[in-house]
PDB file of all heavy atoms in Angstrom:
ATOM      1  N   ILE A 103     -69.320   9.637 -93.905  1.00  0.00           N
ATOM      2  CA  ILE A 103     -69.258  10.005 -92.442  1.00  0.00           C
ATOM      3  C   ILE A 103     -67.887   9.668 -91.873  1.00  0.00           C
ATOM      4  O   ILE A 103     -67.642  10.042 -90.710  1.00  0.00           O
ATOM      5  CB  ILE A 103     -70.323   9.251 -91.618  1.00  0.00           C
ATOM      6  CG1 ILE A 103     -70.152   7.739 -91.736  1.00  0.00           C
ATOM      7  CG2 ILE A 103     -71.686   9.721 -92.043  1.00  0.00           C
ATOM      8  CD1 ILE A 103     -71.047   6.932 -90.748  1.00  0.00           C
ATOM      9  N   ILE A 107     -66.832  10.681 -87.845  1.00  0.00           N
ATOM     10  CA  ILE A 107     -66.695   9.668 -86.802  1.00  0.00           C
ATOM     11  C   ILE A 107     -65.233   9.578 -86.343  1.00  0.00           C
ATOM     12  O   ILE A 107     -64.973   9.338 -85.157  1.00  0.00           O
ATOM     13  CB  ILE A 107     -67.274   8.328 -87.189  1.00  0.00           C
ATOM     14  CG1 ILE A 107     -66.681   7.811 -88.565  1.00  0.00           C
ATOM     15  CG2 ILE A 107     -68.823   8.396 -87.369  1.00  0.00           C
ATOM     16  CD1 ILE A 107     -67.133   6.485 -89.006  1.00  0.00           C
ATOM     17  N   LEU A 161     -59.516   3.277 -88.909  1.00  0.00           N
ATOM     18  CA  LEU A 161     -60.076   3.588 -90.203  1.00  0.00           C
ATOM     19  C   LEU A 161     -61.567   4.015 -89.967  1.00  0.00           C
ATOM     20  O   LEU A 161     -62.260   3.450 -89.191  1.00  0.00           O
ATOM     21  CB  LEU A 161     -60.059   2.323 -91.026  1.00  0.00           C
ATOM     22  CG  LEU A 161     -60.659   2.440 -92.431  1.00  0.00           C
ATOM     23  CD1 LEU A 161     -59.579   2.681 -93.493  1.00  0.00           C
ATOM     24  CD2 LEU A 161     -61.431   1.188 -92.804  1.00  0.00           C
ATOM     25  N   GLY A 162     -62.056   4.994 -90.751  1.00  0.00           N
ATOM     26  CA  GLY A 162     -63.452   5.385 -90.746  1.00  0.00           C
ATOM     27  C   GLY A 162     -64.219   4.513 -91.628  1.00  0.00           C
ATOM     28  O   GLY A 162     -64.678   3.423 -91.271  1.00  0.00           O
ATOM     29  N   ALA A 163     -64.460   4.894 -92.865  1.00  0.00           N
ATOM     30  CA  ALA A 163     -65.177   4.111 -93.860  1.00  0.00           C
ATOM     31  C   ALA A 163     -64.838   4.599 -95.226  1.00  0.00           C
ATOM     32  O   ALA A 163     -64.375   5.743 -95.393  1.00  0.00           O
ATOM     33  CB  ALA A 163     -66.690   4.166 -93.615  1.00  0.00           C
ATOM     34  N   VAL A 164     -65.023   3.770 -96.253  1.00  0.00           N
ATOM     35  CA  VAL A 164     -64.746   4.248 -97.651  1.00  0.00           C
ATOM     36  C   VAL A 164     -65.968   3.957 -98.509  1.00  0.00           C
ATOM     37  O   VAL A 164     -66.836   3.195 -98.260  1.00  0.00           O
ATOM     38  CB  VAL A 164     -63.505   3.483 -98.240  1.00  0.00           C
ATOM     39  CG1 VAL A 164     -62.242   3.689 -97.438  1.00  0.00           C
ATOM     40  CG2 VAL A 164     -63.804   1.994 -98.370  1.00  0.00           C
ATOM     41  N   GLY A 165     -65.918   4.731 -99.628  1.00  0.00           N
ATOM     42  CA  GLY A 165     -66.989   4.536-100.670  1.00  0.00           C
ATOM     43  C   GLY A 165     -68.026   5.565-100.673  1.00  0.00           C
ATOM     44  O   GLY A 165     -68.228   6.327 -99.702  1.00  0.00           O
ATOM     45  N   GLY A 166     -68.772   5.634-101.766  1.00  0.00           N
ATOM     46  CA  GLY A 166     -69.860   6.526-101.896  1.00  0.00           C
ATOM     47  C   GLY A 166     -70.315   6.642-103.360  1.00  0.00           C
ATOM     48  O   GLY A 166     -69.570   6.219-104.280  1.00  0.00           O
ATOM     49  N   ASP A 170     -69.064   5.415-107.723  1.00  0.00           N
ATOM     50  CA  ASP A 170     -69.803   4.232-108.077  1.00  0.00           C
ATOM     51  C   ASP A 170     -69.576   3.792-109.550  1.00  0.00           C
ATOM     52  O   ASP A 170     -69.784   2.672-109.885  1.00  0.00           O
ATOM     53  CB  ASP A 170     -71.282   4.294-107.802  1.00  0.00           C
ATOM     54  CG  ASP A 170     -71.597   3.869-106.385  1.00  0.00           C
ATOM     55  OD1 ASP A 170     -70.662   3.336-105.691  1.00  0.00           O
ATOM     56  OD2 ASP A 170     -72.688   4.034-105.914  1.00  0.00           O
ATOM     57  N   ARG A 177     -61.849   1.158-107.575  1.00  0.00           N
ATOM     58  CA  ARG A 177     -62.947   1.545-106.632  1.00  0.00           C
ATOM     59  C   ARG A 177     -62.368   1.838-105.190  1.00  0.00           C
ATOM     60  O   ARG A 177     -61.332   1.321-104.838  1.00  0.00           O
ATOM     61  CB  ARG A 177     -63.924   0.368-106.514  1.00  0.00           C
ATOM     62  CG  ARG A 177     -64.820   0.228-107.692  1.00  0.00           C
ATOM     63  CD  ARG A 177     -65.880  -0.836-107.418  1.00  0.00           C
ATOM     64  NE  ARG A 177     -66.777  -0.511-106.411  1.00  0.00           N
ATOM     65  CZ  ARG A 177     -67.853   0.329-106.477  1.00  0.00           C
ATOM     66  NH1 ARG A 177     -68.061   0.857-107.663  1.00  0.00           N
ATOM     67  NH2 ARG A 177     -68.589   0.617-105.490  1.00  0.00           N
ATOM     68  N   GLU A 179     -63.256   0.714-102.400  1.00  0.00           N
ATOM     69  CA  GLU A 179     -63.207  -0.447-101.591  1.00  0.00           C
ATOM     70  C   GLU A 179     -61.918  -1.227-101.823  1.00  0.00           C
ATOM     71  O   GLU A 179     -61.480  -2.009-100.994  1.00  0.00           O
ATOM     72  CB  GLU A 179     -64.402  -1.386-101.883  1.00  0.00           C
ATOM     73  CG  GLU A 179     -65.769  -0.808-101.425  1.00  0.00           C
ATOM     74  CD  GLU A 179     -66.403   0.191-102.369  1.00  0.00           C
ATOM     75  OE1 GLU A 179     -65.762   0.496-103.435  1.00  0.00           O
ATOM     76  OE2 GLU A 179     -67.421   0.708-102.059  1.00  0.00           O
ATOM     77  N   LEU A 182     -59.421  -0.652 -99.235  1.00  0.00           N
ATOM     78  CA  LEU A 182     -59.609  -1.345 -98.009  1.00  0.00           C
ATOM     79  C   LEU A 182     -59.069  -2.792 -98.047  1.00  0.00           C
ATOM     80  O   LEU A 182     -58.350  -3.216 -97.140  1.00  0.00           O
ATOM     81  CB  LEU A 182     -61.120  -1.463 -97.754  1.00  0.00           C
ATOM     82  CG  LEU A 182     -61.661  -1.668 -96.373  1.00  0.00           C
ATOM     83  CD1 LEU A 182     -61.174  -0.661 -95.392  1.00  0.00           C
ATOM     84  CD2 LEU A 182     -63.234  -1.588 -96.362  1.00  0.00           C
ATOM     85  N   ARG A 186     -55.676  -4.250 -95.959  1.00  0.00           N
ATOM     86  CA  ARG A 186     -55.667  -5.426 -95.194  1.00  0.00           C
ATOM     87  C   ARG A 186     -54.619  -6.403 -95.614  1.00  0.00           C
ATOM     88  O   ARG A 186     -53.919  -7.062 -94.856  1.00  0.00           O
ATOM     89  CB  ARG A 186     -57.035  -6.143 -95.315  1.00  0.00           C
ATOM     90  CG  ARG A 186     -58.168  -5.340 -94.557  1.00  0.00           C
ATOM     91  CD  ARG A 186     -59.529  -6.052 -94.777  1.00  0.00           C
ATOM     92  NE  ARG A 186     -60.546  -5.300 -94.050  1.00  0.00           N
ATOM     93  CZ  ARG A 186     -61.828  -5.229 -94.486  1.00  0.00           C
ATOM     94  NH1 ARG A 186     -62.183  -5.873 -95.539  1.00  0.00           N
ATOM     95  NH2 ARG A 186     -62.740  -4.539 -93.800  1.00  0.00           N
ATOM     96  N   ILE A 352     -76.259  -1.209 -86.268  1.00  0.00           N
ATOM     97  CA  ILE A 352     -75.020  -1.234 -87.090  1.00  0.00           C
ATOM     98  C   ILE A 352     -74.064  -0.089 -86.631  1.00  0.00           C
ATOM     99  O   ILE A 352     -72.847  -0.206 -86.784  1.00  0.00           O
ATOM    100  CB  ILE A 352     -75.383  -1.173 -88.592  1.00  0.00           C
ATOM    101  CG1 ILE A 352     -74.175  -1.495 -89.393  1.00  0.00           C
ATOM    102  CG2 ILE A 352     -75.961   0.169 -88.972  1.00  0.00           C
ATOM    103  CD1 ILE A 352     -74.514  -1.544 -90.932  1.00  0.00           C
ATOM    104  N   GLY A 353     -74.595   0.994 -86.109  1.00  0.00           N
ATOM    105  CA  GLY A 353     -73.737   2.143 -85.748  1.00  0.00           C
ATOM    106  C   GLY A 353     -73.031   1.936 -84.436  1.00  0.00           C
ATOM    107  O   GLY A 353     -72.362   2.858 -83.924  1.00  0.00           O
ATOM    108  N   GLU A 369     -61.757  -0.635 -87.030  1.00  0.00           N
ATOM    109  CA  GLU A 369     -62.699   0.109 -87.802  1.00  0.00           C
ATOM    110  C   GLU A 369     -64.114  -0.279 -87.337  1.00  0.00           C
ATOM    111  O   GLU A 369     -64.396  -1.405 -86.986  1.00  0.00           O
ATOM    112  CB  GLU A 369     -62.541  -0.178 -89.298  1.00  0.00           C
ATOM    113  CG  GLU A 369     -62.606  -1.668 -89.574  1.00  0.00           C
ATOM    114  CD  GLU A 369     -62.405  -2.019 -91.103  1.00  0.00           C
ATOM    115  OE1 GLU A 369     -62.887  -1.239 -91.936  1.00  0.00           O
ATOM    116  OE2 GLU A 369     -61.822  -3.012 -91.348  1.00  0.00           O
ATOM    117  N   PRO A 370     -65.085   0.672 -87.558  1.00  0.00           N
ATOM    118  CA  PRO A 370     -66.470   0.273 -87.336  1.00  0.00           C
ATOM    119  C   PRO A 370     -66.922  -0.655 -88.480  1.00  0.00           C
ATOM    120  O   PRO A 370     -66.301  -0.681 -89.536  1.00  0.00           O
ATOM    121  CB  PRO A 370     -67.279   1.612 -87.510  1.00  0.00           C
ATOM    122  CG  PRO A 370     -66.359   2.475 -88.309  1.00  0.00           C
ATOM    123  CD  PRO A 370     -64.908   2.038 -87.976  1.00  0.00           C
ATOM    124  N   ILE A 371     -67.925  -1.503 -88.225  1.00  0.00           N
ATOM    125  CA  ILE A 371     -68.302  -2.508 -89.272  1.00  0.00           C
ATOM    126  C   ILE A 371     -69.246  -1.839 -90.355  1.00  0.00           C
ATOM    127  O   ILE A 371     -69.359  -2.356 -91.400  1.00  0.00           O
ATOM    128  CB  ILE A 371     -69.011  -3.749 -88.726  1.00  0.00           C
ATOM    129  CG1 ILE A 371     -70.394  -3.453 -88.263  1.00  0.00           C
ATOM    130  CG2 ILE A 371     -68.199  -4.404 -87.657  1.00  0.00           C
ATOM    131  CD1 ILE A 371     -71.321  -4.700 -88.230  1.00  0.00           C
ATOM    132  N   HIS A 372     -69.778  -0.613 -90.013  1.00  0.00           N
ATOM    133  CA  HIS A 372     -70.676  -0.004 -91.000  1.00  0.00           C
ATOM    134  C   HIS A 372     -69.894   0.681 -92.099  1.00  0.00           C
ATOM    135  O   HIS A 372     -68.679   0.796 -92.025  1.00  0.00           O
ATOM    136  CB  HIS A 372     -71.573   0.986 -90.303  1.00  0.00           C
ATOM    137  CG  HIS A 372     -70.845   2.089 -89.563  1.00  0.00           C
ATOM    138  ND1 HIS A 372     -70.240   3.109 -90.246  1.00  0.00           N
ATOM    139  CD2 HIS A 372     -70.680   2.296 -88.305  1.00  0.00           C
ATOM    140  CE1 HIS A 372     -69.707   3.938 -89.330  1.00  0.00           C
ATOM    141  NE2 HIS A 372     -69.946   3.445 -88.154  1.00  0.00           N
ATOM    142  N   GLY A 373     -70.658   1.121 -93.132  1.00  0.00           N
ATOM    143  CA  GLY A 373     -69.994   1.753 -94.292  1.00  0.00           C
ATOM    144  C   GLY A 373     -69.998   3.252 -94.076  1.00  0.00           C
ATOM    145  O   GLY A 373     -70.079   3.809 -92.968  1.00  0.00           O
ATOM    146  N   SER A 374     -69.913   4.001 -95.239  1.00  0.00           N
ATOM    147  CA  SER A 374     -69.635   5.448 -95.201  1.00  0.00           C
ATOM    148  C   SER A 374     -70.932   6.287 -95.082  1.00  0.00           C
ATOM    149  O   SER A 374     -70.894   7.464 -95.066  1.00  0.00           O
ATOM    150  CB  SER A 374     -68.861   5.874 -96.426  1.00  0.00           C
ATOM    151  OG  SER A 374     -69.600   5.503 -97.640  1.00  0.00           O
ATOM    152  N   ALA A 375     -72.096   5.544 -95.100  1.00  0.00           N
ATOM    153  CA  ALA A 375     -73.400   6.198 -94.873  1.00  0.00           C
ATOM    154  C   ALA A 375     -73.537   7.542 -95.610  1.00  0.00           C
ATOM    155  O   ALA A 375     -73.771   8.531 -95.008  1.00  0.00           O
ATOM    156  CB  ALA A 375     -73.700   6.373 -93.376  1.00  0.00           C
ATOM    157  N   PRO A 376     -73.426   7.486 -96.963  1.00  0.00           N
ATOM    158  CA  PRO A 376     -73.497   8.761 -97.694  1.00  0.00           C
ATOM    159  C   PRO A 376     -74.796   9.537 -97.428  1.00  0.00           C
ATOM    160  O   PRO A 376     -74.799  10.740 -97.579  1.00  0.00           O
ATOM    161  CB  PRO A 376     -73.337   8.355 -99.146  1.00  0.00           C
ATOM    162  CG  PRO A 376     -73.174   6.873 -99.151  1.00  0.00           C
ATOM    163  CD  PRO A 376     -73.240   6.345 -97.773  1.00  0.00           C
ATOM    164  N   ASP A 377     -75.904   8.827 -97.105  1.00  0.00           N
ATOM    165  CA  ASP A 377     -77.157   9.450 -96.909  1.00  0.00           C
ATOM    166  C   ASP A 377     -77.196  10.461 -95.797  1.00  0.00           C
ATOM    167  O   ASP A 377     -78.046  11.370 -95.769  1.00  0.00           O
ATOM    168  CB  ASP A 377     -78.288   8.391 -96.779  1.00  0.00           C
ATOM    169  CG  ASP A 377     -77.982   7.366 -95.704  1.00  0.00           C
ATOM    170  OD1 ASP A 377     -76.806   7.020 -95.518  1.00  0.00           O
ATOM    171  OD2 ASP A 377     -78.898   6.886 -95.062  1.00  0.00           O
ATOM    172  N   ILE A 378     -76.260  10.306 -94.806  1.00  0.00           N
ATOM    173  CA  ILE A 378     -76.291  11.219 -93.661  1.00  0.00           C
ATOM    174  C   ILE A 378     -74.950  11.945 -93.530  1.00  0.00           C
ATOM    175  O   ILE A 378     -74.737  12.670 -92.550  1.00  0.00           O
ATOM    176  CB  ILE A 378     -76.630  10.505 -92.312  1.00  0.00           C
ATOM    177  CG1 ILE A 378     -75.733   9.319 -92.110  1.00  0.00           C
ATOM    178  CG2 ILE A 378     -78.104  10.031 -92.367  1.00  0.00           C
ATOM    179  CD1 ILE A 378     -75.799   8.758 -90.697  1.00  0.00           C
ATOM    180  N   LYS A 383     -75.060  13.710 -88.081  1.00  0.00           N
ATOM    181  CA  LYS A 383     -76.099  12.723 -87.636  1.00  0.00           C
ATOM    182  C   LYS A 383     -75.507  11.359 -87.336  1.00  0.00           C
ATOM    183  O   LYS A 383     -76.184  10.519 -86.772  1.00  0.00           O
ATOM    184  CB  LYS A 383     -77.132  12.554 -88.746  1.00  0.00           C
ATOM    185  CG  LYS A 383     -78.136  13.698 -88.838  1.00  0.00           C
ATOM    186  CD  LYS A 383     -79.153  13.347 -89.889  1.00  0.00           C
ATOM    187  CE  LYS A 383     -80.165  14.470 -90.122  1.00  0.00           C
ATOM    188  NZ  LYS A 383     -80.871  14.305 -91.355  1.00  0.00           N
ATOM    189  N   ALA A 384     -74.232  11.184 -87.762  1.00  0.00           N
ATOM    190  CA  ALA A 384     -73.666   9.781 -87.671  1.00  0.00           C
ATOM    191  C   ALA A 384     -73.454   9.394 -86.223  1.00  0.00           C
ATOM    192  O   ALA A 384     -73.133  10.217 -85.329  1.00  0.00           O
ATOM    193  CB  ALA A 384     -72.370   9.778 -88.415  1.00  0.00           C
ATOM    194  N   ASN A 385     -73.634   8.119 -85.944  1.00  0.00           N
ATOM    195  CA  ASN A 385     -73.343   7.547 -84.595  1.00  0.00           C
ATOM    196  C   ASN A 385     -71.803   7.231 -84.510  1.00  0.00           C
ATOM    197  O   ASN A 385     -71.336   6.393 -85.336  1.00  0.00           O
ATOM    198  CB  ASN A 385     -74.179   6.252 -84.484  1.00  0.00           C
ATOM    199  CG  ASN A 385     -74.016   5.642 -83.112  1.00  0.00           C
ATOM    200  OD1 ASN A 385     -73.135   6.061 -82.271  1.00  0.00           O
ATOM    201  ND2 ASN A 385     -74.788   4.664 -82.754  1.00  0.00           N
ATOM    202  N   ASP A 426     -79.973   6.783 -85.379  1.00  0.00           N
ATOM    203  CA  ASP A 426     -80.076   5.402 -85.784  1.00  0.00           C
ATOM    204  C   ASP A 426     -80.437   4.472 -84.606  1.00  0.00           C
ATOM    205  O   ASP A 426     -80.906   3.379 -84.842  1.00  0.00           O
ATOM    206  CB  ASP A 426     -78.741   4.893 -86.354  1.00  0.00           C
ATOM    207  CG  ASP A 426     -77.497   5.142 -85.429  1.00  0.00           C
ATOM    208  OD1 ASP A 426     -77.416   6.192 -84.793  1.00  0.00           O
ATOM    209  OD2 ASP A 426     -76.750   4.126 -85.234  1.00  0.00           O
TER     210      ASP A 426
HETATM  211  P1  LIG B  98     -73.766   1.755 -94.739  1.00  0.00           P
HETATM  212  O1  LIG B  98     -73.303   0.928 -93.558  1.00  0.00           O
HETATM  213  O2  LIG B  98     -72.847   2.911 -95.136  1.00  0.00           O
HETATM  214  O3  LIG B  98     -75.188   2.336 -94.441  1.00  0.00           O
HETATM  215  C1  LIG B  98     -76.366   1.534 -94.225  1.00  0.00           C
HETATM  216  C2  LIG B  98     -77.390   2.296 -93.439  1.00  0.00           C
HETATM  217  O4  LIG B  98     -76.978   2.398 -92.123  1.00  0.00           O
HETATM  218  C3  LIG B  98     -77.601   3.733 -93.941  1.00  0.00           C
HETATM  219  O5  LIG B  98     -78.943   4.052 -93.850  1.00  0.00           O
HETATM  220  C4  LIG B  98     -76.750   4.528 -93.036  1.00  0.00           C
HETATM  221  O6  LIG B  98     -77.251   5.822 -92.866  1.00  0.00           O
HETATM  222  C5  LIG B  98     -76.821   3.754 -91.724  1.00  0.00           C
HETATM  223  N1  LIG B  98     -75.655   3.896 -90.926  1.00  0.00           N
HETATM  224  C6  LIG B  98     -74.436   3.279 -91.150  1.00  0.00           C
HETATM  225  N2  LIG B  98     -73.554   3.663 -90.275  1.00  0.00           N
HETATM  226  C7  LIG B  98     -74.172   4.596 -89.473  1.00  0.00           C
HETATM  227  C8  LIG B  98     -73.685   5.375 -88.328  1.00  0.00           C
HETATM  228  N3  LIG B  98     -72.482   5.303 -87.865  1.00  0.00           N
HETATM  229  N4  LIG B  98     -74.590   6.177 -87.764  1.00  0.00           N
HETATM  230  C9  LIG B  98     -75.898   6.234 -88.215  1.00  0.00           C
HETATM  231  N5  LIG B  98     -76.348   5.547 -89.236  1.00  0.00           N
HETATM  232  C10 LIG B  98     -75.462   4.757 -89.903  1.00  0.00           C
HETATM  233  O7  LIG B  98     -73.899   0.742 -95.953  1.00  0.00           O
HETATM  234  P2  LIG B  98     -74.299   1.006 -97.479  1.00  0.00           P
HETATM  235  O8  LIG B  98     -75.259   2.152 -97.578  1.00  0.00           O
HETATM  236  O9  LIG B  98     -74.595  -0.273 -98.053  1.00  0.00           O
HETATM  237  O10 LIG B  98     -72.985   1.565 -98.159  1.00  0.00           O
HETATM  238  C11 LIG B  98     -72.609   2.890 -98.322  1.00  0.00           C
HETATM  239  C12 LIG B  98     -71.174   2.986 -98.887  1.00  0.00           C
HETATM  240  O11 LIG B  98     -70.274   2.466 -97.886  1.00  0.00           O
HETATM  241  C13 LIG B  98     -70.947   2.191-100.120  1.00  0.00           C
HETATM  242  O12 LIG B  98     -70.096   2.910-100.998  1.00  0.00           O
HETATM  243  C14 LIG B  98     -70.244   0.907 -99.658  1.00  0.00           C
HETATM  244  O13 LIG B  98     -69.462   0.315-100.601  1.00  0.00           O
HETATM  245  C15 LIG B  98     -69.472   1.447 -98.488  1.00  0.00           C
HETATM  246  N6  LIG B  98     -69.100   0.489 -97.442  1.00  0.00           N
HETATM  247  C16 LIG B  98     -67.919   0.650 -96.839  1.00  0.00           C
HETATM  248  C17 LIG B  98     -67.585  -0.212 -95.847  1.00  0.00           C
HETATM  249  C18 LIG B  98     -66.238   0.039 -95.121  1.00  0.00           C
HETATM  250  O14 LIG B  98     -65.661   1.080 -95.347  1.00  0.00           O
HETATM  251  N7  LIG B  98     -65.782  -0.827 -94.244  1.00  0.00           N
HETATM  252  C19 LIG B  98     -68.427  -1.179 -95.329  1.00  0.00           C
HETATM  253  C20 LIG B  98     -69.700  -1.334 -95.976  1.00  0.00           C
HETATM  254  C21 LIG B  98     -70.045  -0.472 -96.995  1.00  0.00           C
END
Side-chain angles (χ1 to χ4, degrees):
I103 59 171
I107 54 178
L161 179 100
V164 300
D170 271 351
R177 288 185 63 81
E179 293 80 2
L182 201 56
R186 287 178 183 151
I352 193 176
E369 57 181 321
I371 72 158
H372 59 73
S374 58
D377 51 330
I378 56 166
K383 284 183 181 165
N385 185 349
D426 58 313

